[in-house]
Structure formats: C-alpha cells, structure tokens
Amino acid sequence: MRRVPDAFLLNMAEVTATLIGLFLVGVFFYVETGFRRWDRSRDVFEKYLRSGTRITLIVLSIALGMSLSLVVMDPAWTRILFVVLSLVLIAANVDSALHVRGVRRATGSIALVINEVVTTAMTLALLLLPWILGGLSPTRRDFAWSILLAFAAGLLSIGAIVMSAFDVARPTDADEAGEGESPG
C-alpha cells in the first residue's frame, strides 16, 4: 500500500469538517420544519432522528479526529483516541439500532432501516480493520482505511436521512382524501 501523506489526511479533515457543518445546518432546518406533519409517530421518529444524528456526528468525528491526530499527535495518543472514539461509536450504534425498529412503521420508509444495517457492518469493519492490519501498533496506513470507512458511513447516513425526508414529505392517503373537502 502507498504511503499516507499529511496532505491526504488534512484534505480528509477539511472535507469532513465541511460535511459536518452542512449536516448540522440540515438537521436544524429539518427539526424546525420537518416535525410539523407528524402526529402519532412523531415520538418514534424523533427519537430515531436524535439517535441517528448522534451516530452520524460520531462517525464523522472519527474521520475528522483521526485525520488530524495522525498529522499532529504521537502514534500512542492516536491509538488512545481511536479506542475512545470506538467505544463511543459502539454505544451510539447500539442506541441507534434499538430506535430503528419502529421507524419503518412510523415513516413508511425503508431507507433508514437499510442504512442502519449497512452502516453497522461498516462500523464493525472500521473498528476492527486497524487492529487486524497493524496488530497492537496500527500505522497511518492501517488507520487510513478506518478514516475512509467512517467518512463513507457518515455520507451514507446523511443520504439516508435526506431520502427519508422525501418519504416523509410525500402526502399520505389521509392528506389526499382531505384535499377535495370544503372546510367546516
């Protein structure tokens, strides 16, 4: 495998930081406007959206934090950071998996359920790969795979949230039935 230069890691950090900022703006916009249509299922979807937002930010933090730490920190501190972020990611993944169960019924969308399965597999790979490739002393090259997988998982999660927003925005049967009725 080729050498992993500082320029690559810093570019990954820049792109990831930009993506995190755009994601936060999108989530705040969605929270402000998207929940107005929900009645009974709001509680289920809101809990999952909170959980999904948390895990997306954590997985993107791995891409950002590891990219920066590999440039400026000693390898031992980078490994410690990776272990801490991994533990946080595992806890967030369990929480997210518990909340996804009711989302399909609440939204009618399978995008979030499929995303949960795919990104859980990616999470497992990104957590184990550095230790499989590098043993107890993973190198930059070993961590580069985790950075790429974390970025891809974050990007997929954002895509799934966007696609579910389109599913939620579709008119329901009740909405369509009420269009032709006159008020009152």
Side-chain angles (χ1 to χ4, degrees):
M1 181 179 190
R2 295 172 54 184
R3 188 174 81 76
V4 179
D6 285 353
F8 167 77
L9 294 169
L10 293 174
N11 284 336
M12 281 301 299
E14 289 173 14
V15 171
T16 303
T18 301
L19 189 59
I20 289 171
L22 291 172
F23 177 65
L24 288 174
V25 168
V27 166
F28 287 130
F29 176 76
Y30 188 77
V31 166
E32 179 64 29
T33 61
F35 287 133
R36 293 183 186 149
R37 295 195 44 169
W38 295 92
D39 294 327
R40 298 179 313 226
S41 55
R42 177 179 176 160
D43 189 46
V44 172
F45 188 67
E46 190 172 352
K47 285 180 184 176
Y48 180 76
L49 185 63
R50 180 185 310 270
S51 179
T53 299
R54 179 182 318 116
I55 196 167
T56 301
L57 288 173
I58 292 168
V59 79
L60 289 172
S61 294
I62 289 175
L64 176 62
M66 293 303 295
S67 294
L68 292 175
S69 72
L70 286 170
V71 173
V72 298
M73 297 174 103
D74 290 329
W77 288 109
T78 299
R79 287 185 214 108
I80 291 170
L81 176 64
F82 187 75
V83 168
V84 169
L85 289 172
S86 296
L87 294 173
V88 173
L89 181 60
I90 290 168
N93 201 321
V94 169
D95 182 56
S96 181
L98 292 174
H99 285 104
V100 78
R101 292 186 346 208
V103 170
R104 169 77 168 103
R105 277 188 319 249
T107 65
S109 173
I110 62 167
L112 294 173
V113 178
I114 292 171
N115 178 66
E116 190 69 34
V117 171
V118 170
T119 55
T120 296
M122 290 176 80
T123 295
L124 184 60
L126 80 88
L127 294 177
L128 295 178
L129 207 52
W131 309 110
I132 292 170
L133 295 174
L136 293 176
S137 298
T139 64
R140 283 177 153 219
R141 286 185 277 175
D142 303 328
F143 282 121
W145 290 106
S146 290
I147 291 168
L148 291 171
L149 283 172
F151 182 78
L155 200 56
L156 283 173
S157 294
I158 290 170
I161 290 172
V162 169
M163 294 312 293
S164 70
F166 283 115
D167 290 342
V168 169
R170 280 187 289 179
T172 63
D173 293 337
D175 291 340
E176 291 174 356
E179 282 179 3
E181 296 177 15
S182 59

